[in-house]
Amino acid sequence: MTMAAATPYPQTERTVPTRIPNRGSWDRETVHSILDEGYVCHLGFVRDGAPVVLPTLYARVGDRVYAHGSTGSPALRGARQDSGLPVCLTVTHVDGLVLARSAFHHSINYRSVVVHGTAYQVTDPAERSEALDALVEHIVPGRADDSRRANAKELAATAVIRLDLAEASAKIRTGGPSDDPEDLELPYWSGVLPVIHGYGAPIPADDLNPSIAVPAYLGTR
Amino acid sequence: MTMAAATPYPQTERTVPTRIPNRGSWDRETVHSILDEGYVCHLGFVRDGAPVVLPTLYARVGDRVYAHGSTGSPALRGARQDSGLPVCLTVTHVDGLVLARSAFHHSINYRSVVVHGTAYQVTDPAERSEALDALVEHIVPGRADDSRRANAKELAATAVIRLDLAEASAKIRTGGPSDDPEDLELPYWSGVLPVIHGYGAPIPADDLNPSIAVPAYLGTR
């Protein structure tokens, strides 16, 4: 079941920010675009009553997020249960450092998405293949067809979990500092230091056959 | 009490990776250097039995990590209890995309730190001031003295939490792809695409007095 892109995610008790609520968004396209720009999420779950947060690769496919890891990881073991594993999946992009005249109003420009839900292990072979392709394609578009796909042994060693995007929200801060009026004449520089993300020149593997050129899909990043 | 930098953090059940344990490190300097390079952590806690992971600004001071937020945030409310709030604080730096010949061996070069512990609200005024200065200085060294420090009203609206670095570990992946020997002759490019982090030119606030120059501490980043 796919919801129309125009339908926002529902506002729930845990997806409405407790402060600065006007930074919140439940717009599906906004949530998707923030998810699609990243590939490392921070996946939280509860283990022995205590929180655990681990960086994890993920990819969105429609209204689902897939993550993968070793079949031995505690998160993925938990997701193997029929009842699934309650998780919180968070993705954050930092866009700038916001320097106000007052220390209090210093901030960060960012875009984040928080997804609450239950993760389940994916067992259907077709869905597993689709998810693993998406995980490679999400990080480097064009790469799934330009690498050797997983064989049966590798598939058996890989756990894939699925989290439905049902309770998700974005939080966004943009723009310059918001100083109090009485601070505007203070002699401190104020503004935004943009944060830049990019890629350096590809570094070939030591044992790469030198006749194999850097693929075009890396040059366009 | 400050432990000597040479003393590693203890290896506990939850700080020893369940897989690829040789990527783990409990070395104090390694953990500190990874923490010091970042300023946004992902803070996990349990709310109504479910995990919550929120991006949060932090700074390390010795063997403590400070984070701050509104006094209204659920995490900071939880930390206000005498018993504190069990948290997991995770910091991740992505250094490169690792493209192997096989989809299975695709990976990420990264450095991450996971800290398990209990967060407590900081109430001592001197420690609160030190922590707030550290939070500004950690993001932009030189800025604490070049901005207006928080006044009493702002201090009252700011919650500061402290997490002792007692159960902490790093996980690091570096280097090129680790393809299986039988894949080395496959016709796919393999290597690492370095991930670059940097800053763009500072953008002055719209209402900045044009006679105020960009401070030197921004130019050296």
Side-chain angles (χ1 to χ4, degrees), chain A residues 19 42 53 70 90 92 100-101 103-104 106 143 146 148 158 183 188-192 194 196 198-201 203 205 207, chain B residues 19 42 53 70 90 92 100-101 103-104 106 143 146 148 158 183 189-192 194 196 198-201 203 205 207:
Chain A
R19 58 185 293 262
H42 281 81
V53 178
S70 157
T90 300
T92 305
R101 282 90 169 175
F104 184 73
H106 275 60
R143 185 67 183 175
D146 192 37
R148 177 179 66 69
T158 304
D183 288 335
Y188 308 122
W189 187 89
S190 72
V192 173
I196 305 289
Y199 294 94
I203 302 168
D207 50 13
Chain B
R19 57 185 293 260
H42 282 81
V53 178
S70 157
T90 300
T92 306
R101 282 91 169 174
F104 184 73
H106 275 60
R143 185 67 184 175
D146 192 36
R148 178 178 67 69
T158 304
D183 288 334
W189 187 89
S190 72
V192 173
I196 305 289
Y199 294 94
I203 301 168
D207 51 11

Side-chain angles (χ1 to χ4, degrees), chain A residues 97-116:
Chain A
L97 311 181
V98 182
L99 280 63
R101 282 90 169 175
S102 63
F104 184 73
H105 282 298
H106 275 60
S107 189
I108 299 279
N109 281 339
Y110 66 95
R111 291 161 295 141
S112 67
V113 161
V114 176
V115 184
H116 299 276

Side-chain angles (χ1 to χ4, degrees), chain B residues 32-45:
Chain B
H32 291 186
S33 73
I34 292 171
L35 288 174
D36 291 353
E37 194 176 316
Y39 46 84
V40 174
C41 67
H42 282 81
L43 186 69
F45 56 97

Side-chain angles (χ1 to χ4, degrees), chain A residues 77-166:
Chain A
R77 275 203 302 270
R80 202 179 306 157
Q81 314 300 320
D82 287 344
S83 56
L85 179 74
V87 298
C88 180
L89 184 151
T90 300
V91 172
T92 305
H93 307 302
V94 177
D95 296 322
L97 311 181
V98 182
L99 280 63
R101 282 90 169 175
S102 63
F104 184 73
H105 282 298
H106 275 60
S107 189
I108 299 279
N109 281 339
Y110 66 95
R111 291 161 295 141
S112 67
V113 161
V114 176
V115 184
H116 299 276
T118 302
Y120 295 93
Q121 183 157 345
V122 178
T123 54
D124 176 70
E127 188 180 357
R128 281 168 57 83
S129 285
E130 184 192 21
L132 290 170
D133 275 3
L135 282 155
V136 169
E137 280 292 299
H138 184 58
I139 301 177
V140 182
R143 185 67 183 175
D145 283 338
D146 192 37
S147 56
R148 177 179 66 69
R149 283 188 161 79
N151 59 34
K153 184 182 158 200
E154 292 166 344
L155 283 172
T158 304
V160 178
I161 60 172
R162 178 189 74 228
L163 172 64
D164 287 341
L165 289 172

